[in-house]
Amino acid sequence: MTLKVVWGITGSGDLMPETVAAMAKVRETQDVEITALLSKEAVKVIRWYKLWEEVERISRKVIIEEDANTPFIVGPMQIGRFDCFLVAPATANTTAKVAHGIADTIITNAVAQVGKTDIPIMMLPVDQRSGTTVTTRPGGEKLTLRIRAIDVENAERVRKIEGLDVLGGVDEIADVLRACPRRPRTQR
């Protein structure tokens, strides 16, 4: 049975190329149907990284945020038209909002509302470990970023949210999607 995934994408440049590549591989190697759910900022970052065509190729449908509940995706998610919800990459801003129960974007609202159901939610915060990280800029150059303690703390808070699994890295995406239970067709 085909796995139906909502892939929430936020506006993080860090891990964006790696996440898109991981999702392309999932699309090629697993029986999966991907609906991409983009925050307003994700649209800008995906275009900046010249990944728009690849996201469209990977996805059955691309949904772009107008406001926290438009287009209306939460209802179809809650009633089981999708099997799981992956948020990757998740910016420090999105992670902080989820950690503190703020649901004012399409991604954070979906996490809050879908979290009230039994649909698995997986999230990949970009800022999980203290220290520095090296990311890739749109032109391919490397950029070293210092991870703030508050962002690490928020990622740790998210780990404690019931029904939400935090991924440690892009390399975990394929396995968590492979393990995601398919919902009975009668619930769709």
Side-chain angles (χ1 to χ4, degrees), residues 30-50:
Q30 296 184 35
D31 183 12
V32 64
E33 181 179 285
I34 299 167
T35 298
L37 179 63
L38 279 60
S39 71
K40 293 174 186 176
E41 299 308 315
V43 173
K44 295 174 190 175
V45 173
I46 289 168
R47 288 190 171 136
W48 194 36
Y49 275 83
K50 297 179 176 44

